[in-house]
mmCIF file of all heavy atoms in Angstrom:
data_model
loop_
_atom_site.group_PDB
_atom_site.id
_atom_site.type_symbol
_atom_site.label_atom_id
_atom_site.label_comp_id
_atom_site.label_asym_id
_atom_site.label_seq_id
_atom_site.Cartn_x
_atom_site.Cartn_y
_atom_site.Cartn_z
ATOM 1 N N CYS A 194 -68.324 -73.461 138.997
ATOM 2 C CA CYS A 194 -68.618 -74.131 137.739
ATOM 3 C C CYS A 194 -70.042 -74.687 137.647
ATOM 4 O O CYS A 194 -70.753 -74.681 138.669
ATOM 5 C CB CYS A 194 -67.581 -75.228 137.522
ATOM 6 S SG CYS A 194 -67.692 -76.580 138.750
ATOM 7 N N ARG A 195 -70.305 -75.194 136.538
ATOM 8 C CA ARG A 195 -71.671 -75.682 136.249
ATOM 9 C C ARG A 195 -71.541 -76.797 135.200
ATOM 10 O O ARG A 195 -70.710 -76.703 134.285
ATOM 11 C CB ARG A 195 -72.409 -74.449 135.629
ATOM 12 C CG ARG A 195 -73.711 -74.680 134.919
ATOM 13 C CD ARG A 195 -74.054 -73.450 134.131
ATOM 14 N NE ARG A 195 -74.280 -72.263 134.986
ATOM 15 C CZ ARG A 195 -75.473 -71.986 135.497
ATOM 16 N NH1 ARG A 195 -76.488 -72.797 135.292
ATOM 17 N NH2 ARG A 195 -75.693 -70.935 136.245
ATOM 18 N N PHE A 196 -72.245 -77.839 135.413
ATOM 19 C CA PHE A 196 -72.123 -78.975 134.493
ATOM 20 C C PHE A 196 -73.437 -79.779 134.580
ATOM 21 O O PHE A 196 -74.339 -79.500 135.379
ATOM 22 C CB PHE A 196 -70.946 -79.844 134.837
ATOM 23 C CG PHE A 196 -70.879 -80.401 136.223
ATOM 24 C CD1 PHE A 196 -71.540 -81.561 136.584
ATOM 25 C CD2 PHE A 196 -70.265 -79.635 137.205
ATOM 26 C CE1 PHE A 196 -71.513 -81.996 137.885
ATOM 27 C CE2 PHE A 196 -70.274 -80.054 138.575
ATOM 28 C CZ PHE A 196 -70.873 -81.247 138.887
ATOM 29 N N ARG A 197 -73.462 -80.811 133.729
ATOM 30 C CA ARG A 197 -74.695 -81.654 133.692
ATOM 31 C C ARG A 197 -74.342 -83.026 134.202
ATOM 32 O O ARG A 197 -73.308 -83.598 133.915
ATOM 33 C CB ARG A 197 -75.077 -81.755 132.185
ATOM 34 C CG ARG A 197 -76.588 -81.460 131.939
ATOM 35 C CD ARG A 197 -76.919 -81.563 130.475
ATOM 36 N NE ARG A 197 -78.098 -82.390 130.343
ATOM 37 C CZ ARG A 197 -79.323 -82.119 130.787
ATOM 38 N NH1 ARG A 197 -79.478 -80.973 131.378
ATOM 39 N NH2 ARG A 197 -80.310 -82.947 130.560
ATOM 40 N N LEU A 198 -75.285 -83.586 134.920
ATOM 41 C CA LEU A 198 -75.108 -84.953 135.438
ATOM 42 C C LEU A 198 -75.149 -85.909 134.259
ATOM 43 O O LEU A 198 -75.974 -85.731 133.365
ATOM 44 C CB LEU A 198 -76.205 -85.301 136.413
ATOM 45 C CG LEU A 198 -76.135 -84.482 137.740
ATOM 46 C CD1 LEU A 198 -77.368 -84.813 138.564
ATOM 47 C CD2 LEU A 198 -74.853 -84.762 138.518
ATOM 48 N N PRO A 199 -74.263 -86.936 134.211
ATOM 49 C CA PRO A 199 -74.150 -87.773 133.059
ATOM 50 C C PRO A 199 -75.403 -88.705 132.921
ATOM 51 O O PRO A 199 -75.661 -89.153 131.785
ATOM 52 C CB PRO A 199 -72.898 -88.593 133.322
ATOM 53 C CG PRO A 199 -72.710 -88.511 134.795
ATOM 54 C CD PRO A 199 -73.257 -87.202 135.260
ATOM 55 N N TYR A 200 -76.038 -89.048 134.026
ATOM 56 C CA TYR A 200 -77.221 -89.901 133.921
ATOM 57 C C TYR A 200 -78.149 -89.595 135.043
ATOM 58 O O TYR A 200 -77.843 -88.769 135.912
ATOM 59 C CB TYR A 200 -76.859 -91.431 133.911
ATOM 60 C CG TYR A 200 -75.495 -91.672 134.543
ATOM 61 C CD1 TYR A 200 -75.283 -91.678 135.920
ATOM 62 C CD2 TYR A 200 -74.380 -92.050 133.725
ATOM 63 C CE1 TYR A 200 -74.087 -91.928 136.484
ATOM 64 C CE2 TYR A 200 -73.151 -92.288 134.307
ATOM 65 C CZ TYR A 200 -73.024 -92.236 135.657
ATOM 66 O OH TYR A 200 -71.805 -92.486 136.232
ATOM 67 N N ASP A 201 -79.318 -90.247 135.053
ATOM 68 C CA ASP A 201 -80.353 -89.796 136.029
ATOM 69 C C ASP A 201 -79.984 -90.178 137.479
ATOM 70 O O ASP A 201 -79.050 -90.931 137.691
ATOM 71 C CB ASP A 201 -81.700 -90.339 135.627
ATOM 72 C CG ASP A 201 -81.793 -91.821 135.788
ATOM 73 O OD1 ASP A 201 -81.100 -92.398 136.657
ATOM 74 O OD2 ASP A 201 -82.623 -92.475 135.130
ATOM 75 N N LYS A 202 -80.688 -89.579 138.373
ATOM 76 C CA LYS A 202 -80.302 -89.695 139.767
ATOM 77 C C LYS A 202 -80.554 -91.166 140.322
ATOM 78 O O LYS A 202 -79.897 -91.515 141.246
ATOM 79 C CB LYS A 202 -81.042 -88.689 140.640
ATOM 80 C CG LYS A 202 -80.517 -87.271 140.279
ATOM 81 C CD LYS A 202 -81.056 -86.186 141.183
ATOM 82 C CE LYS A 202 -80.411 -84.926 140.789
ATOM 83 N NZ LYS A 202 -81.188 -83.751 141.255
ATOM 84 N N ARG A 203 -81.407 -91.824 139.703
ATOM 85 C CA ARG A 203 -81.633 -93.234 140.130
ATOM 86 C C ARG A 203 -80.363 -94.009 139.926
ATOM 87 O O ARG A 203 -79.883 -94.712 140.799
ATOM 88 C CB ARG A 203 -82.753 -93.787 139.247
ATOM 89 C CG ARG A 203 -83.273 -95.176 139.731
ATOM 90 C CD ARG A 203 -84.208 -95.723 138.693
ATOM 91 N NE ARG A 203 -85.463 -94.954 138.620
ATOM 92 C CZ ARG A 203 -86.537 -95.318 139.327
ATOM 93 N NH1 ARG A 203 -86.483 -96.277 140.146
ATOM 94 N NH2 ARG A 203 -87.621 -94.586 139.227
ATOM 95 N N LEU A 204 -79.749 -93.786 138.781
ATOM 96 C CA LEU A 204 -78.530 -94.498 138.475
ATOM 97 C C LEU A 204 -77.333 -93.979 139.314
ATOM 98 O O LEU A 204 -76.471 -94.773 139.777
ATOM 99 C CB LEU A 204 -78.177 -94.341 136.969
ATOM 100 C CG LEU A 204 -77.124 -95.266 136.435
ATOM 101 C CD1 LEU A 204 -77.485 -96.733 136.692
ATOM 102 C CD2 LEU A 204 -76.905 -95.076 134.969
ATOM 103 N N ILE A 205 -77.299 -92.688 139.549
ATOM 104 C CA ILE A 205 -76.281 -92.143 140.404
ATOM 105 C C ILE A 205 -76.322 -92.779 141.817
ATOM 106 O O ILE A 205 -75.339 -93.127 142.429
ATOM 107 C CB ILE A 205 -76.317 -90.618 140.479
ATOM 108 C CG1 ILE A 205 -75.999 -90.024 139.095
ATOM 109 C CG2 ILE A 205 -75.370 -90.065 141.541
ATOM 110 C CD1 ILE A 205 -76.153 -88.529 139.088
ATOM 111 N N ALA A 206 -77.565 -92.905 142.279
ATOM 112 C CA ALA A 206 -77.756 -93.463 143.602
ATOM 113 C C ALA A 206 -77.268 -94.902 143.609
ATOM 114 O O ALA A 206 -76.512 -95.275 144.549
ATOM 115 C CB ALA A 206 -79.277 -93.453 143.928
ATOM 116 N N ALA A 207 -77.549 -95.655 142.632
ATOM 117 C CA ALA A 207 -77.048 -97.045 142.565
ATOM 118 C C ALA A 207 -75.575 -97.077 142.504
ATOM 119 O O ALA A 207 -74.882 -97.897 143.168
ATOM 120 C CB ALA A 207 -77.644 -97.774 141.372
ATOM 121 N N ARG A 208 -74.972 -96.131 141.810
ATOM 122 C CA ARG A 208 -73.530 -96.076 141.686
ATOM 123 C C ARG A 208 -72.920 -95.808 143.028
ATOM 124 O O ARG A 208 -71.836 -96.329 143.344
ATOM 125 C CB ARG A 208 -73.185 -94.963 140.694
ATOM 126 C CG ARG A 208 -71.736 -94.942 140.246
ATOM 127 C CD ARG A 208 -71.596 -93.749 139.340
ATOM 128 N NE ARG A 208 -70.237 -93.532 138.809
ATOM 129 C CZ ARG A 208 -69.136 -93.527 139.527
ATOM 130 N NH1 ARG A 208 -69.205 -93.719 140.866
ATOM 131 N NH2 ARG A 208 -67.980 -93.342 138.956
ATOM 132 N N LEU A 209 -73.566 -94.928 143.775
ATOM 133 C CA LEU A 209 -73.002 -94.590 145.096
ATOM 134 C C LEU A 209 -73.368 -95.562 146.150
ATOM 135 O O LEU A 209 -72.940 -95.478 147.351
ATOM 136 C CB LEU A 209 -73.479 -93.180 145.500
ATOM 137 C CG LEU A 209 -73.072 -92.048 144.567
ATOM 138 C CD1 LEU A 209 -73.607 -90.734 145.060
ATOM 139 C CD2 LEU A 209 -71.579 -91.971 144.415
ATOM 140 N N GLY A 210 -74.237 -96.527 145.798
ATOM 141 C CA GLY A 210 -74.602 -97.567 146.756
ATOM 142 C C GLY A 210 -75.657 -97.104 147.776
ATOM 143 O O GLY A 210 -75.622 -97.532 148.920
ATOM 144 N N VAL A 211 -76.540 -96.204 147.383
ATOM 145 C CA VAL A 211 -77.586 -95.761 148.304
ATOM 146 C C VAL A 211 -78.964 -95.737 147.561
ATOM 147 O O VAL A 211 -78.947 -95.878 146.336
ATOM 148 C CB VAL A 211 -77.358 -94.327 148.856
ATOM 149 C CG1 VAL A 211 -76.079 -94.302 149.687
ATOM 150 C CG2 VAL A 211 -77.289 -93.291 147.740
ATOM 151 N N LYS A 212 -79.967 -95.555 148.309
ATOM 152 C CA LYS A 212 -81.328 -95.421 147.711
ATOM 153 C C LYS A 212 -81.450 -94.036 147.145
ATOM 154 O O LYS A 212 -80.830 -93.098 147.540
ATOM 155 C CB LYS A 212 -82.374 -95.662 148.790
ATOM 156 C CG LYS A 212 -82.451 -97.097 149.299
ATOM 157 C CD LYS A 212 -82.963 -97.968 148.228
ATOM 158 C CE LYS A 212 -82.607 -99.420 148.500
ATOM 159 N NZ LYS A 212 -82.817 -100.295 147.331
ATOM 160 N N GLN A 213 -82.383 -93.942 146.158
ATOM 161 C CA GLN A 213 -82.695 -92.674 145.525
ATOM 162 C C GLN A 213 -83.014 -91.623 146.546
ATOM 163 O O GLN A 213 -82.549 -90.481 146.460
ATOM 164 C CB GLN A 213 -83.824 -92.904 144.580
ATOM 165 C CG GLN A 213 -83.892 -91.829 143.536
ATOM 166 C CD GLN A 213 -85.069 -92.039 142.574
ATOM 167 O OE1 GLN A 213 -85.187 -91.299 141.614
ATOM 168 N NE2 GLN A 213 -85.907 -92.973 142.819
ATOM 169 N N GLU A 214 -83.837 -91.943 147.548
ATOM 170 C CA GLU A 214 -84.251 -90.970 148.523
ATOM 171 C C GLU A 214 -83.071 -90.423 149.333
ATOM 172 O O GLU A 214 -82.977 -89.268 149.643
ATOM 173 C CB GLU A 214 -85.252 -91.584 149.536
ATOM 174 C CG GLU A 214 -86.559 -92.023 148.881
ATOM 175 C CD GLU A 214 -86.497 -93.503 148.525
ATOM 176 O OE1 GLU A 214 -85.416 -93.950 148.025
ATOM 177 O OE2 GLU A 214 -87.491 -94.208 148.681
ATOM 178 N N THR A 215 -82.148 -91.331 149.638
ATOM 179 C CA THR A 215 -80.974 -90.938 150.413
ATOM 180 C C THR A 215 -80.113 -89.998 149.544
ATOM 181 O O THR A 215 -79.550 -88.990 150.091
ATOM 182 C CB THR A 215 -80.151 -92.170 150.784
ATOM 183 O OG1 THR A 215 -80.970 -93.077 151.541
ATOM 184 C CG2 THR A 215 -78.950 -91.855 151.618
ATOM 185 N N LEU A 216 -80.013 -90.279 148.259
ATOM 186 C CA LEU A 216 -79.266 -89.412 147.374
ATOM 187 C C LEU A 216 -79.917 -88.021 147.342
ATOM 188 O O LEU A 216 -79.204 -86.999 147.477
ATOM 189 C CB LEU A 216 -79.243 -89.963 145.972
ATOM 190 C CG LEU A 216 -78.519 -89.055 144.974
ATOM 191 C CD1 LEU A 216 -77.046 -88.949 145.263
ATOM 192 C CD2 LEU A 216 -78.728 -89.544 143.603
ATOM 193 N N SER A 217 -81.172 -88.028 147.263
ATOM 194 C CA SER A 217 -81.878 -86.751 147.216
ATOM 195 C C SER A 217 -81.590 -85.880 148.494
ATOM 196 O O SER A 217 -81.297 -84.705 148.432
ATOM 197 C CB SER A 217 -83.394 -86.988 147.098
ATOM 198 O OG SER A 217 -84.121 -85.819 146.846
ATOM 199 N N ARG A 218 -81.604 -86.563 149.598
ATOM 200 C CA ARG A 218 -81.277 -85.848 150.846
ATOM 201 C C ARG A 218 -79.838 -85.432 150.949
ATOM 202 O O ARG A 218 -79.494 -84.343 151.443
ATOM 203 C CB ARG A 218 -81.634 -86.735 152.049
ATOM 204 C CG ARG A 218 -83.144 -86.934 152.238
ATOM 205 C CD ARG A 218 -83.448 -87.728 153.464
ATOM 206 N NE ARG A 218 -84.172 -88.926 153.133
ATOM 207 C CZ ARG A 218 -85.499 -89.026 153.116
ATOM 208 N NH1 ARG A 218 -86.254 -87.968 153.388
ATOM 209 N NH2 ARG A 218 -86.094 -90.179 152.800
ATOM 210 N N ALA A 219 -78.978 -86.241 150.330
ATOM 211 C CA ALA A 219 -77.557 -85.818 150.296
ATOM 212 C C ALA A 219 -77.345 -84.602 149.460
ATOM 213 O O ALA A 219 -76.647 -83.685 149.830
ATOM 214 C CB ALA A 219 -76.654 -86.997 149.758
ATOM 215 N N PHE A 220 -78.070 -84.529 148.304
ATOM 216 C CA PHE A 220 -78.031 -83.305 147.493
ATOM 217 C C PHE A 220 -78.537 -82.105 148.330
ATOM 218 O O PHE A 220 -77.966 -81.052 148.254
ATOM 219 C CB PHE A 220 -78.888 -83.510 146.199
ATOM 220 C CG PHE A 220 -78.092 -83.993 145.065
ATOM 221 C CD1 PHE A 220 -78.342 -85.192 144.442
ATOM 222 C CD2 PHE A 220 -77.073 -83.184 144.524
ATOM 223 C CE1 PHE A 220 -77.647 -85.626 143.347
ATOM 224 C CE2 PHE A 220 -76.348 -83.629 143.373
ATOM 225 C CZ PHE A 220 -76.644 -84.837 142.847
ATOM 226 N N ALA A 221 -79.610 -82.361 149.039
ATOM 227 C CA ALA A 221 -80.189 -81.289 149.842
ATOM 228 C C ALA A 221 -79.148 -80.740 150.832
ATOM 229 O O ALA A 221 -79.011 -79.543 151.002
ATOM 230 C CB ALA A 221 -81.439 -81.746 150.575
ATOM 231 N N LYS A 222 -78.423 -81.645 151.453
ATOM 232 C CA LYS A 222 -77.379 -81.195 152.436
ATOM 233 C C LYS A 222 -76.325 -80.409 151.758
ATOM 234 O O LYS A 222 -75.763 -79.465 152.329
ATOM 235 C CB LYS A 222 -76.765 -82.420 153.139
ATOM 236 C CG LYS A 222 -77.715 -83.074 154.159
ATOM 237 C CD LYS A 222 -76.899 -84.037 155.019
ATOM 238 C CE LYS A 222 -77.826 -85.078 155.653
ATOM 239 N NZ LYS A 222 -77.035 -86.219 156.162
ATOM 240 N N LEU A 223 -75.996 -80.767 150.507
ATOM 241 C CA LEU A 223 -74.918 -80.046 149.813
ATOM 242 C C LEU A 223 -75.336 -78.663 149.409
ATOM 243 O O LEU A 223 -74.511 -77.802 149.150
ATOM 244 C CB LEU A 223 -74.441 -80.850 148.580
ATOM 245 C CG LEU A 223 -73.469 -82.006 148.854
ATOM 246 C CD1 LEU A 223 -73.065 -82.677 147.577
ATOM 247 C CD2 LEU A 223 -72.247 -81.506 149.608
ATOM 248 N N ARG A 224 -76.623 -78.425 149.335
ATOM 249 C CA ARG A 224 -77.105 -77.057 148.960
ATOM 250 C C ARG A 224 -76.488 -76.014 149.877
ATOM 251 O O ARG A 224 -76.076 -74.967 149.471
ATOM 252 C CB ARG A 224 -78.596 -77.021 149.048
ATOM 253 C CG ARG A 224 -79.269 -77.346 147.689
ATOM 254 C CD ARG A 224 -80.676 -76.775 147.626
ATOM 255 N NE ARG A 224 -81.717 -77.584 148.350
ATOM 256 C CZ ARG A 224 -82.176 -78.742 147.895
ATOM 257 N NH1 ARG A 224 -81.739 -79.266 146.770
ATOM 258 N NH2 ARG A 224 -83.089 -79.349 148.615
ATOM 259 N N VAL A 225 -76.444 -76.352 151.150
ATOM 260 C CA VAL A 225 -75.852 -75.431 152.122
ATOM 261 C C VAL A 225 -74.435 -75.122 151.796
ATOM 262 O O VAL A 225 -73.894 -74.043 152.154
ATOM 263 C CB VAL A 225 -75.906 -76.103 153.527
ATOM 264 C CG1 VAL A 225 -75.330 -75.199 154.569
ATOM 265 C CG2 VAL A 225 -77.322 -76.478 153.868
ATOM 266 N N HIS A 226 -73.745 -75.978 151.097
ATOM 267 C CA HIS A 226 -72.349 -75.815 150.758
ATOM 268 C C HIS A 226 -72.162 -75.288 149.341
ATOM 269 O O HIS A 226 -71.135 -75.480 148.761
ATOM 270 C CB HIS A 226 -71.573 -77.085 150.954
ATOM 271 C CG HIS A 226 -71.611 -77.580 152.374
ATOM 272 N ND1 HIS A 226 -70.905 -76.930 153.378
ATOM 273 C CD2 HIS A 226 -72.272 -78.576 152.967
ATOM 274 C CE1 HIS A 226 -71.124 -77.531 154.533
ATOM 275 N NE2 HIS A 226 -71.977 -78.529 154.302
ATOM 276 N N GLY A 227 -73.195 -74.680 148.824
ATOM 277 C CA GLY A 227 -73.046 -74.020 147.515
ATOM 278 C C GLY A 227 -73.182 -74.954 146.348
ATOM 279 O O GLY A 227 -72.646 -74.656 145.255
ATOM 280 N N VAL A 228 -73.834 -76.060 146.511
ATOM 281 C CA VAL A 228 -74.086 -76.954 145.354
ATOM 282 C C VAL A 228 -75.587 -76.922 145.090
ATOM 283 O O VAL A 228 -76.406 -77.357 145.876
ATOM 284 C CB VAL A 228 -73.704 -78.377 145.648
ATOM 285 C CG1 VAL A 228 -73.989 -79.263 144.488
ATOM 286 C CG2 VAL A 228 -72.199 -78.464 145.966
ATOM 287 N N ARG A 229 -75.934 -76.304 143.892
ATOM 288 C CA ARG A 229 -77.343 -76.231 143.589
ATOM 289 C C ARG A 229 -77.650 -77.161 142.410
ATOM 290 O O ARG A 229 -76.835 -77.254 141.476
ATOM 291 C CB ARG A 229 -77.703 -74.789 143.203
ATOM 292 C CG ARG A 229 -78.649 -74.170 144.167
ATOM 293 C CD ARG A 229 -78.358 -72.667 144.380
ATOM 294 N NE ARG A 229 -77.185 -72.578 145.268
ATOM 295 C CZ ARG A 229 -77.279 -72.251 146.577
ATOM 296 N NH1 ARG A 229 -78.466 -72.039 147.099
ATOM 297 N NH2 ARG A 229 -76.220 -72.197 147.348
ATOM 298 N N THR A 230 -78.806 -77.779 142.454
ATOM 299 C CA THR A 230 -79.160 -78.695 141.326
ATOM 300 C C THR A 230 -80.579 -78.293 140.815
ATOM 301 O O THR A 230 -81.459 -78.006 141.562
ATOM 302 C CB THR A 230 -79.202 -80.160 141.785
ATOM 303 O OG1 THR A 230 -80.216 -80.260 142.832
ATOM 304 C CG2 THR A 230 -77.882 -80.625 142.245
ATOM 305 N N GLU A 231 -80.663 -78.305 139.506
ATOM 306 C CA GLU A 231 -81.971 -78.179 138.863
ATOM 307 C C GLU A 231 -82.099 -79.395 137.925
ATOM 308 O O GLU A 231 -81.473 -79.392 136.862
ATOM 309 C CB GLU A 231 -82.136 -76.896 138.128
ATOM 310 C CG GLU A 231 -80.770 -76.321 137.703
ATOM 311 C CD GLU A 231 -80.789 -75.029 136.978
ATOM 312 O OE1 GLU A 231 -81.256 -73.989 137.593
ATOM 313 O OE2 GLU A 231 -80.351 -75.045 135.824
#
Side-chain angles (χ1 to χ4, degrees):
Chain A
C194 62
R195 166 195 295 274
F196 56 88
R197 230 179 129 66
L198 295 173
Y200 21 75
D201 71 26
K202 291 187 178 160
R203 190 187 292 268
L204 195 56
I205 294 175
R208 193 184 180 307
L209 299 180
V211 297
K212 293 289 160 195
Q213 200 180 187
E214 297 93 320
T215 303
L216 176 67
S217 189
R218 290 183 238 269
F220 266 117
K222 287 193 202 163
L223 280 182
R224 269 202 280 285
V225 182
H226 297 288
V228 178
R229 245 143 283 258
T230 59
E231 24 181 62

